[in-house]
Amino acid sequence: MITASDMSGKVLLVTGAGGGIGQATAIALAEAGASVSIIDVKAEGLAETAGQIEALGGVAHIQALDLSLAENCHSAVGAAVDRFGRLDALCNVAGVLKLAHSHEMPVADWNLVLAVNLSAPFFLCQAAIPHLLKTDGAIVNVSSLAAHIGEAYSAAYCASKGGLSQLTKALAMEYMHQSIRIN
């Protein structure tokens, strides 16, 4: 198993931490010594993640938020910085998948997938970058093979992950000569 390096004294914000990859990421980072601000729409999952982090002796700051709303993305970063006094990394892990025949996909499902998978990472990055520039920080955006390979019944997901990959590349180019890593 690959483990995180020494993250003692670091503060990370992890989305999608109520389960799956986001939860595993938050726990691994806490195990490596980081304090983590964890975000998900699922409050019960966040409580479970926080419990596991605290059992390891780590510190978790819970934020049960709907990241499909831009204002929640901005306030999430502010709350993490208010709680810990700094931000060293943003891990955009949250993701939504809604499967449907493209001609039958409800507008609300399309909008939700794009909001959580593409818009939320952008708004979180937008809010986090000023703090990350101060700490020589990092952004990690979790994409998918669906960004590069079309998959049936998942047009919104593929489009959102393809957009996220290009957003990540654009931000990396924009900030390549500054003290921030974007992957």
Side-chain angles (χ1 to χ4, degrees):
M1 172 193 263
I2 297 173
T3 58
S5 61
D6 183 13
M7 302 294 280
S8 299
K10 303 291 185 184
V11 174
L12 290 85
L13 189 154
V14 181
T15 69
I21 297 169
Q23 181 180 57
T25 300
I27 292 168
L29 293 168
E31 246 179 338
S35 296
V36 290
S37 185
I38 54 176
I39 301 175
D40 204 300
V41 71
K42 299 176 287 188
E44 301 82 20
L46 286 174
E48 178 188 326
T49 304
Q52 290 184 46
I53 289 169
E54 290 163 3
L56 296 167
V59 178
H61 170 240
I62 295 175
Q63 296 192 64
L65 295 171
D66 178 357
L67 293 177
S68 71
L69 304 172
E71 59 270 18
N72 286 352
C73 298
H74 286 278
S75 68
V77 171
V81 172
D82 287 348
R83 169 66 174 84
F84 294 110
R86 64 182 291 139
L87 185 64
D88 296 285
L90 167 63
C91 302
N92 285 309
V93 185
V96 172
L97 171 64
K98 297 283 186 175
L99 300 174
H101 281 284
S102 292
H103 70 282
E104 296 173 345
M105 176 165 261
V107 171
D109 286 355
W110 173 269
N111 288 339
L112 177 66
V113 171
L114 272 285
V116 173
N117 297 0
L118 180 57
S119 296
F122 172 76
F123 293 124
L124 286 157
C125 288
Q126 188 179 52
I129 286 171
H131 303 285
L132 297 172
L133 288 169
K134 293 176 188 173
T135 60
D136 298 333
I139 296 172
V140 176
N141 292 327
V142 176
S143 189
S144 165
L145 284 177
H148 310 286
I149 300 170
E151 297 176 3
Y153 313 108
S154 60
Y157 185 77
C158 291
S160 69
K161 291 302 185 173
L164 182 60
S165 289
Q166 290 302 317
L167 170 64
T168 303
K169 291 175 186 179
L171 291 173
M173 292 299 293
E174 184 174 344
Y175 293 94
M176 68 188 293
H177 297 295
Q178 295 184 49
S179 61
I180 185 172
R181 294 171 321 284
I182 303 171
N183 298 292

